Amino acid sequence: MLRTQRARLLIAALGGAIAVAAPVPAGAEDTEPVVVVNGTFSSPTVPAGQSFEAGIDGWTGGGRASAARAAHPRGFQAAGLGWNGSISTQLRGVRAGATVTLSWDDNPDSCTAQGAARRPYRLVVAGAPGQPVDFATNDGTGKTNWFLGRTYSFTAPADAPQITFAVAAAQNISNCPVQIANVAAKQTATQLAPSDPCAGDGASSPQCKDVAAGKDQISKCPPTDRDCLAGVAGKGDKENAAIGKETQAVEDFGKVPRDQDPNTAASDLCTLPNALTSSVQPGDAVVPPSDWWFC
């Protein structure tokens, strides 16, 4: 009798595990953070003295359980699925083809009786295969009984995929809702291939034709064939002539004499002061102009 009872308990446990299992696509672990708008359901704050209030900023549907009612281990408010039965949002930083891992916490709520069965709910990723995916909370205990760190991985079927948590009509109870908290996500983004401006219709543009012709010419000349490359790129006659002129200019500049006789230099400098003082008479100044300057 005892052996039969153990077997039944084992079957029941395995059955429960299968009911909440979620398929996870193969691949590397997603590590790049994704912004989930109001993923902790902290906005707006439930007014003091209230356990619940309808509406969640950044999400469609549902309502909020106060931090006191949710009694989450990290002090978060929670989303309640007991108003219209579901809450939805979009993962706006995710592009189609990225792999995404969602994580969240769930709670049957403190209103559930001791020994009550797990409360089922669903996750739906719009457009993804294998939807919806079924989950269930921990057993009822007559108090909060959070499961921390549920996860589900998928490949984004579109840019900014929509996610929805939903309950059946039987669980759609506004004063005793299934609670979701601390929704977060990580991804491995798709690598965008560089676009070729000369692909497709662009190949007929004049610029792309010139590029194609140049590539064709260069492809016919191995890098070691100087004569062939000269036929494509030219021999640089203009460039060499310009370099020769620069070399000659530097050489000529170096030949300009830098030394000069002081008297010759002074005579050149005296032209201007002599012109300015030529009309000054000896009696016009205490010191004759001839004493002012070398001139």
Side-chain angles (χ1 to χ4, degrees), residues 14-93:
L14 291 174
I18 294 171
V20 299
V24 178
E29 181 181 1
D30 299 312
T31 58
E32 181 182 337
V34 174
V35 175
V36 179
V37 177
N38 198 21
T40 58
F41 307 112
S42 59
S43 178
T45 303
V46 177
Q50 292 184 211
S51 295
F52 298 102
E53 186 176 57
I56 306 169
D57 288 347
W59 294 71
T60 301
R64 307 171 322 281
S66 69
R69 176 60 182 262
H72 188 278
R74 295 179 61 184
F76 295 137
Q77 292 191 154
L81 306 183
W83 275 259
N84 63 351
S86 66
I87 58 172
S88 300
T89 193
Q90 288 182 280
L91 304 179
R92 300 190 180 278

Side-chain angles (χ1 to χ4, degrees), residues 195-260:
S195 60
D196 183 358
C198 291
D201 295 338
S204 61
S205 67
Q207 296 86 349
C208 291
K209 287 183 178 179
D210 291 343
V211 171
K215 286 182 178 179
D216 182 60
Q217 289 292 329
I218 292 174
S219 66
K220 295 177 182 178
C221 294
T224 56
D225 191 339
R226 177 178 296 182
D227 293 334
C228 181
L229 291 175
V232 177
K235 297 182 178 180
D237 293 338
K238 292 182 179 180
E239 292 79 4
N240 290 331
I243 292 172
K245 290 181 179 180
E246 292 286 345
T247 303
Q248 185 62 50
V250 171
E251 184 178 346
D252 293 342
F253 182 78
K255 294 178 180 179
V256 175
R258 300 295 187 272
D259 299 328
Q260 193 172 31

Side-chain angles (χ1 to χ4, degrees), residues 80-149:
L81 306 183
W83 275 259
N84 63 351
S86 66
I87 58 172
S88 300
T89 193
Q90 288 182 280
L91 304 179
R92 300 190 180 278
V94 175
R95 297 182 65 88
T99 59
V100 182
T101 298
L102 280 175
S103 63
W104 68 95
D105 307 331
D106 63 37
N107 175 37
D109 197 12
S110 58
C111 60
T112 55
Q114 175 70 36
R118 298 177 177 183
R119 301 184 70 183
Y121 64 94
R122 288 181 163 184
L123 170 66
V124 181
V125 180
Q131 303 300 306
V133 183
D134 292 328
F135 292 91
T137 68
N138 286 337
D139 294 332
T141 60
K143 56 184 179 180
T144 55
N145 189 13
W146 284 98
F147 183 100
L148 305 181

